Each structure stands twice: as C-alpha cells, then as structure tokens.
Amino acid sequence: MPAATDAAEPTQEASPKPKAAAKPSTAAARLAKLGLRRSVDLVLHLPMRYEDETSILTIRDAIARAGAGMAAQVEGVVTSNEVTFRPRRQLVVKIADETGELTLRFLNFYGSQTKQMAEGARLRVRGDVRGGFFGAEMVHPTVRPVAEGEGLPDRLTPVYPATAGISQAYLRKAIGGALQRTPMPETLPQPLLRGPLARLRLAPLAECLRLLHNPPQGESEAALADRSHPAWQRIKFDELLAQQISLRRSQAARREKTAPSMPRVQGKLLTRFLGALPFGLTGAQQRVVEEIAADMTRPHPMHRLLQGDVGSGKTVVAALAACQAIDAGYQAALMAPTEILAEQHYRKLSAWLAPLGVPVVWLAGSLKAREKREAAARVESGEAQLVIGTHALIQDTVRFARLGLSVVDEQHRFGVAQRLALRGKASETEASAVADERVPHQLMMSATPIPRTLAMTYYADLDVSVIDELPPGRTPIVTRLVNDARRDEVIDRVHHAAAEGRQVYWVCPLIEESEALQLQTAVETYETLVAALPDLRVGLVHGRLPPAEKAAVMDDFSAGRLQVLVATTVIEVGVDVPNASLMVIEHAERFGLAQLHQLRGRVGRGTAESVCLLMYQAPLSPTARERLATMRETTDGFEIARRDLQIRGPGEFLGARQSGEAMLRFADLETDAWLVEYAQEAAEAMLAHFPEAVEAHLTRWLGGREHFLKA
Ligand code: ADP
Ligand code: MG
C-alpha cells in the first residue's frame, strides 16, 4: 500500500476550503455521504482510475514531456516558497533537482501546506506540467514530503471517487481495512458458473476486488484504466446481475399487486367518444389501443410504455384509455412535463370529452391557491373524472377518490424523483381511499424510442407498445439547411406561407449558458420579426412569461389569430397546431438531434406540405454538421434516435444517466451490452433455483438502494 499522504490533497476530487477542514464531521458521516455505510460498500467502492507513482522523472524530462496530457511524478527540494498576490493570491513554490527547476502553484491552500512545503523540504509531486505565467509549472499537483532516498511503491496507486472532506489517504485506509475484515464469499451458484456462465470465465470476486484495489506489478495499466481487465468484467457482471434480478423482482411484485379490472363495455363513453371522433384510428393506433385495453382488463397494474414518433397520435390513445377507466367508474389522470403541453392536452381532451358529459379538471402550479384548492376538492370528492395537469398533480394536497389510471406524457422529461413521487401517489391512493389495496394502471408515453440496451436494463420491467405509423394524409416535411446569411429569403418564405393562410413557428436560438441571455435573444428576435413583417401578426412565447399570458399567446396561435409564433424551446414538446406548416429554427447547430426532431414535429400535422428551415451559422463543427445532415436526410424518429445514440452514446439517452447513476456504477451500457444478456439469463436461473444466492447477491450490491430501480 502506498504511504499515507497529508490529509489535504488539493489536486484530488475537491479543492480544499479551509472552513471545511476546521471542523470535520465524523468519519462515518463523511463516508455515508458517498453511500459507504457498510464494510461491503467500502469493498465495492472501486478506483475510478490509477496513478502511476512507481517511477520518477527528472524535472528536465518532465518539462520536455509537458503538454503530452500525462501526469508526471518528479522529486525535488524546495528552493523558494511564497504567497504572491499577482496576478492573484496564490502559493508559489519552486522545487529543483539536479536537472532543473519547476514551479508549483496553488490557488487554494491551507496554512499547513505552506509549512509542509517550506524551503529545504524534499517533495515528491505529481501532476501535469504546463507552460504558465512562471514558466514550466504544475498547478495543484499532489504533494508528498519524503525522506531522501525513500523508495517508490511497486504498485499502481488507486484513486477513488471522493467528496469534499474525505482525502484519498483516508479512503485508502478505510477501504484497505474493510477489504481485510470482509470475506466476500461467492454468490454465483457453482452450477451457473460451470454451466451457462462458463464462457465468461469469471474469476472469483474476492480475488478481483483485491486486484482492483491494489493491482499487483505487471498488470496492464491500460486494461485497468479502461476497465476491460477481466477483474473489471467480473465486477460489471455482478453489478448487472444485481440490476437484472432487482428489475425482475419489482416486476413480479407489481404483478402481485391488484389493480381495478376495467373491462370494456359497449355503448358507454368509449363507444360514444369513438363515434364522435372526426377521424378513424390508424391500424397501429387500433393495435396499441387493444394492448392497453387488455392490460386494463386484468386485475394487475398495467405498466406500459407507449412509444410513437412525434405526431403519431398518442393523445387519442391516452384519451381512449381514460374513457375505459371512466366507464368502469374510476378517475383518470394525465400528467405532462410542461404547463404548455399539459394545457394543450387539457384543451384537446376537454373539447373531445366535455361535450360527452365528462367533468375534466385542470391542475397546474400556476393556479391561484384558491383555484387549486377547488380543483383538488373536485378530485378528492370524485366529481372530477379526468384530471389533467403538470406535476402539481402529484403534490401532497391532491388526493384522488378513485384513481384508476395515470398517464404520463413525455415521461422521460420527468426527473427520477418525480417519477418516484407518482408511484408514491399510487400507493397513497391505495392506502387512503381504495381500501382494498388496489393501485392504478400506469401508461407512460414517449416520442423517444429506447435503444435496445436501455430497454434491457432500466426499462426491463416495462411492457412496450409502439405506434409505427403516422395518420394518413400527412405530407412529409421537407427540411432545408439555410445559412444564416440568407435570412432575407427566409423572411420571404414566412410571408409566402402567411399569404397562403398558413402559420409559422420561429424558434429562437438556444443559449445554454444563460437563461437571461436566452430571454433577451427571444425578445430581440421577436422585435426584429415584428419590424420585418409589418403586415403580419406576430406573437412571442417563452418560459418566463406568466402562465396566463403564455396560455393566451398559445390560444391566439391555435385559433389562427397569430400568424407567426416566435418561441423558445417551450414549444418543443407536444404542441399541436395542425395549420402551422413552416418551422424556422435559428442557430439549429446549437440544438441536439432529439430536440430538433421534436421541434420539427410541430409541423407536418395537417395536410399542407410542411417545410422546416434549419438556419445555421457557419462554420459548423463536425458533430453539428452530422446532426444537421441527419435532419435533412430523414424524418424517421427511430432512425434519428439511432444516429443520436451513435453520436452521443446511450448514457445520456432518456436521462438514463440520472437514474442509472443510482444503479450502474461500473458497467457501461455501450461497451458492456454483451454482458447484459448473460446477466439476464443468470438472473432468471437464480430466481428460479437459487433463492438464497439471490438474497446474498442483492444485499451485497444494493443494500438499501433498491427503490431507485423503480424510477
Ligand atoms: P403525438 O403522438 O406526437 O402526441 P398527437 O396525439 O398530438 O401526436 O397527434 C398529432 C395530430 O394528429 C393531432 O392533431 C391529432 O388529433 C391527429 N391525429 C391523431 N390520430 C389521427 C388519425 N388516426 N387520423 C388523423 N389524425 C389523427
Ligand atoms: Mg404528444
């Protein structure tokens, strides 16, 4: 084991804040912050990388390699040590060996460090050498005082994920101790290891853990670093296995719960609604409606994802499910991630259902307290049969009398916590109102197709229905890329579209760094367009507008009173105005593919030929070029998602990183997808034949964190 370093290691995960050091909380509390409560948690807290402290470069060689992007370790004696105030307050230390001199610079530092690096002290330092204000320098290197002639470690030094107030030295010691006192008996049953898993040649876990915490000499540094080493594979496999078992268990638990059975009955609301619809369902819609109806007929909670490209007609499917619930005497709730989208749903569903005598209630954060109380009272009394809103729906103050179906639109937009709260809502209803322990059916809707590996992991306990057909009579959207310099031509197109009685969206540039700047840009764009299009009625909608104004503008646009709608990405999801046929997106190069696809999906909803103009500012980065080319080449959401996945990797998909973090620390869904299939097979076999092994494995890997999976 490497010798302990000074407690404060400024280069590591956090820079020191003298205040935090003054009164440390207890060690256990600090470890708990990292989720390290049990010995086994420490043992499974694996290095995120390794440092090679096994060799020392001369200062001259280290300087010669400067900029190579590799950390170097040098040893020297301090020749000067001073706190300077120009260009800012910092500690500047110089060390020298026989070959040269190197500057060390610390922007945040403790008094103890100044002492540790007093003139004459011998230091071993590690960091990136760069050319800087004072010549060749290391900024915030790792520093360790050593005695002359002190030996070098013969093993790689692990670097652990840490948090403020926990030093690497402390972690190494705690983990080393845990490793010694915690036996890690095999949890995988021998028949599996010798049978279906034999091909993986999994090494014993205990051995792998020891190796990863303390790699013996000669282990491939590259394989350890990129986690392709066989020891890592074993860890990843066990982690994926825990995930798969846990998913299957929550699925089984759900199947054991009861939900109200809601068989379809002819002649009631559902039938009348279908009869009143101005269009017939597509074949794909009919199919998914059947799938959902069958789920809702069963006395177990539906847990289904309805996937369908932008514009494929998911809303009417949700409405039909709601009718089925209402016909059976239950309430249905529809929750959307933004107020604009929720409001659209409210209007659309009220227009469809209110004439048929269904009381529809609107519940959103922007309601006045009194209105909210009134709405909540109608929900609680059971008078409201359909409740539509934002996440205000899941607030404590809202209790459902008989919630039988909850629909979540654009479900991936909701954070993990909100999705969990919605489940909580289900059990709350279960506990308070429905005495017989029944929970509502759940329908989630998304326009974003899920890549296969994600479907196999995070979403493994979802049933999926897909609408793979667009309603008829749509003309495909033509997408053009237009250089920003040709703005005048774009304005002409806007004129032209308006002259033909069509409506236009004009999407403002995305400015991720600053919401204020984004707002300012939107207002400026609006003013420029108002000036450039004096004969047209132009509106502006953005996220900072008070909800009532937002609704009024959207209303004017829907009703055709506005011809041009200047908007920020608030219109990204779900907004539905079929008469809009021209979409202009400014600075399209700043948007992600999924976002562009969603935005473009706002047009092409009627029968008129729709056009999407992606304005860009040259020069384009290679990935921006790739994104825009993809948009021009295809309007198929699945194809776009596939390419997006190629460009971005699956981790960022569907906010999976968020929920995934809680679950997968080591396995990577892109590189380790092949392991998932083995893990699935093993999970099934263990659940079927080795119940004790299942418990041991889950306890080891998940401890108390299992609930994250249900997000
Ligand atoms: P999304 O799947 O993106 O949520 P919507 O439900 O908003 O799509 O539907 C898009 C538009 O298509 C809406 O105006 C909707 O009324 C209309 N629509 C849905 N189904 C059909 C159909 N079978 N025939 C014609 N129009 C339809
Ligand atoms: Mg929608």
Side-chain angles (χ1 to χ4, degrees):
M1 282 296 284
T5 57
D6 182 77
E9 277 199 11
T11 58
Q12 303 304 342
E13 282 28 88
S15 38
K17 294 207 185 70
K19 244 169 74 196
K23 196 171 179 287
S25 51
T26 71
R30 279 182 280 159
L31 289 178
K33 248 168 97 186
L34 286 172
L36 307 179
R37 290 181 181 82
R38 310 165 301 168
S39 287
V40 61
D41 296 333
L42 281 163
V43 172
L44 294 176
H45 194 64
L46 291 167
M48 54 181 185
R49 60 190 165 84
Y50 297 89
E51 284 185 346
D52 185 357
E53 295 177 347
T54 60
S55 60
I56 283 180
L57 291 177
T58 62
I59 287 178
R60 185 177 46 210
D61 285 351
I63 291 173
R65 278 193 356 189
M70 265 159 53
Q73 178 166 252
V74 301
E75 190 173 310
V77 173
V78 176
T79 54
S80 81
N81 169 322
E82 59 177 328
V83 176
T84 64
F85 292 89
R86 251 173 292 157
R88 52 173 287 186
R89 181 176 182 270
Q90 56 187 323
L91 173 63
V92 179
V93 174
K94 292 194 162 67
I95 59 167
D97 66 7
E98 315 76 67
T99 66
E101 195 179 51
L102 182 68
T103 301
L104 315 179
R105 212 143 61 75
F106 302 86
L107 304 178
N108 303 303
F109 54 95
Y110 295 108
S112 65
Q113 281 177 291
T114 325
K115 280 204 206 98
Q116 179 192 49
M117 295 185 273
E119 243 169 80
R122 173 172 289 273
L123 304 177
R124 207 168 270 175
V125 303
R126 213 187 121 77
D128 285 324
V129 182
R130 295 195 300 230
F133 191 77
F134 298 97
E137 64 172 21
M138 281 184 189
V139 180
H140 285 196
T142 318
V143 174
R144 194 156 69 87
V146 287
E148 192 164 1
E150 187 170 314
L152 289 163
D154 57 4
R155 296 170 168 225
L156 296 176
T157 310
V159 180
Y160 294 102
T163 176
I166 304 189
S167 70
Q168 287 294 318
Y170 183 84
L171 267 176
R172 278 174 207 147
K173 218 164 124 198
I175 291 169
L179 207 51
Q180 292 208 322
R181 69 176 175 265
T182 319
M184 297 290 282
E186 187 57 74
T187 49
L188 301 189
Q190 285 305 321
L192 290 187
L193 282 171
R194 274 188 250 111
L197 299 180
R199 266 198 57 205
L200 296 181
R201 303 217 194 135
L202 297 172
L205 181 74
E207 226 170 75
C208 297
L209 288 166
R210 275 196 299 274
L211 185 145
L212 292 175
H213 283 298
N214 201 6
Q217 252 180 320
E219 284 301 334
S220 156
E221 200 186 332
L224 286 172
D226 73 10
R227 301 193 168 181
S228 60
H229 192 284
W232 274 122
Q233 306 242 315
R234 169 70 210 241
I235 303 297
K236 292 172 179 185
F237 178 80
D238 279 29
E239 180 181 54
L240 286 167
L241 177 63
Q243 186 202 39
Q244 291 297 325
I245 293 175
S246 182
L247 280 168
R248 276 167 180 68
R249 284 231 299 212
S250 69
Q251 191 171 22
R254 191 165 47 76
R255 289 222 181 90
E256 267 170 30
K257 290 208 167 137
T258 54
S261 161
M262 307 169 169
R264 272 197 288 194
V265 242
Q266 290 305 314
K268 294 182 79 173
L269 178 62
L270 188 81
T271 323
R272 284 190 290 139
F273 173 57
L274 272 175
L277 258 189
F279 49 77
L281 299 183
T282 63
Q285 283 171 320
Q286 278 169 16
R287 195 187 66 242
V288 303
V289 165
E290 290 305 321
E291 286 165 359
I292 292 165
D295 281 359
M296 291 173 62
T297 305
R298 285 186 209 109
H300 300 290
M302 165 168 76
H303 191 49
R304 187 171 283 276
L305 176 69
L306 173 58
Q307 229 174 267
D309 203 354
V310 183
S312 61
K314 296 184 288 293
T315 316
V316 68
V317 174
L320 284 162
C323 287
Q324 190 172 337
I326 294 167
D327 275 342
Y330 289 89
Q331 293 172 300
L334 170 57
M335 180 165 98
T338 67
E339 192 144 338
I340 284 199
L341 179 53
E343 167 118 26
Q344 286 252 334
H345 283 324
Y346 175 64
R347 281 156 195 262
K348 182 152 229 165
L349 295 186
S350 310
W352 278 337
L353 295 174
L356 302 176
V358 178
V360 185
V361 161
W362 167 243
L363 235 173
S366 66
L367 285 179
K368 296 200 184 70
R370 184 182 47 79
E371 296 170 318
K372 212 181 282 178
R373 267 198 311 277
E374 279 169 15
R378 294 179 67 196
V379 176
E380 192 161 0
S381 72
E383 191 245 310
Q385 294 186 311
L386 177 57
V387 188
I388 298 175
T390 56
H391 52 267
L393 273 181
I394 52 174
Q395 277 163 6
D396 295 345
T397 44
V398 185
R399 284 214 171 67
F400 287 82
R402 291 166 66 75
L403 183 60
L405 168 72
S406 76
V407 183
V408 184
D409 195 13
E410 306 294 345
Q411 60 97 26
H412 61 281
R413 292 301 180 109
F414 286 98
V416 177
Q418 284 167 327
R419 275 186 258 162
L420 283 173
L422 193 68
R423 298 225 181 175
K425 197 88 216 160
S427 49
E428 179 182 293
T429 317
E430 163 193 6
S432 60
V434 187
D436 56 12
E437 297 248 310
R438 289 184 292 184
V439 302
H441 295 287
Q442 260 203 65
L443 179 64
M444 288 145 272
M445 308 200 287
S446 174
T448 314
I450 303 176
R452 202 176 78 92
T453 45
L454 275 185
M456 287 196 306
T457 52
Y458 303 115
Y459 294 91
D461 73 331
L462 275 186
D463 299 309
V464 180
S465 289
V466 181
I467 307 185
D468 51 5
E469 177 185 359
L470 290 181
R474 304 253 170 109
T475 39
I477 306 168
V478 177
T479 301
R480 296 230 163 76
L481 309 188
V482 188
N483 191 313
D484 201 41
R486 288 166 50 203
R487 178 173 289 258
D488 288 349
E489 291 168 43
V490 175
I491 302 235
D492 281 347
R493 304 271 317 220
V494 173
H495 249 129
H496 192 71
E500 289 188 334
R502 300 280 152 210
Q503 289 169 283
V504 181
Y505 291 105
W506 188 295
V507 177
C508 299
L510 180 72
I511 299 171
E512 278 186 334
E513 307 79 26
S514 153
E515 205 196 334
L517 206 55
Q518 164 130 5
L519 188 63
Q520 186 195 331
T521 316
V523 173
E524 280 167 14
T525 309
Y526 168 71
E527 283 165 0
T528 329
L529 282 176
V530 167
L533 300 163
D535 52 330
L536 299 186
R537 292 177 305 275
V538 182
L540 170 65
V541 63
H542 56 74
R544 277 299 182 83
L545 226 47
E549 277 179 52
K550 222 189 282 182
V553 176
M554 291 309 295
D555 211 23
D556 285 344
F557 190 65
S558 301
R561 290 188 290 273
L562 292 173
Q563 290 151 300
V564 181
L565 183 65
V566 179
T568 53
T569 48
V570 294
I571 62 152
E572 184 187 340
V573 283
V575 172
D576 183 35
V577 178
N579 190 46
S581 68
L582 177 59
M583 165 70 61
V584 181
I585 303 178
E586 267 197 84
H587 277 291
E589 77 278 3
R590 295 186 190 168
F591 292 89
L593 259 184
Q595 222 171 6
L596 287 173
H597 180 61
Q598 285 279 351
L599 285 169
R600 180 171 61 184
R602 298 311 112 214
V603 295
R605 301 190 150 229
T607 45
E609 163 151 324
S610 290
V611 177
C612 176
L613 300 178
L614 301 176
M615 283 168 72
Y616 64 89
Q617 196 157 51
L620 289 173
S621 74
T623 52
R625 188 182 303 277
E626 208 176 324
R627 281 199 300 268
L628 295 182
T630 300
M631 287 300 292
R632 190 182 44 205
E633 284 159 24
T634 177
T635 52
D636 176 348
F638 284 74
E639 175 62 16
I640 288 174
R642 200 183 60 75
R643 301 225 201 151
D644 201 20
L645 192 62
Q646 274 174 358
I647 303 175
R648 292 197 302 166
E652 292 183 27
F653 229 85
L654 291 185
R657 186 146 283 163
Q658 247 186 75
S659 55
E661 249 162 14
M663 229 2 247
L664 292 181
R665 289 176 288 159
F666 308 118
D668 175 321
L669 285 181
E670 199 165 22
T671 49
D672 306 318
W674 64 282
L675 274 177
V676 176
E677 284 174 39
Y678 286 97
Q680 283 181 321
E681 193 182 340
E684 259 150 42
M686 277 170 71
L687 284 165
H689 307 296
F690 305 97
E692 288 105 43
V694 164
E695 287 317 313
H697 195 78
L698 283 188
T699 308
R700 171 177 292 172
W701 280 93
L702 297 181
R705 296 182 307 133
E706 208 173 342
H707 71 280
F708 275 108
L709 266 184
K710 296 178 191 145

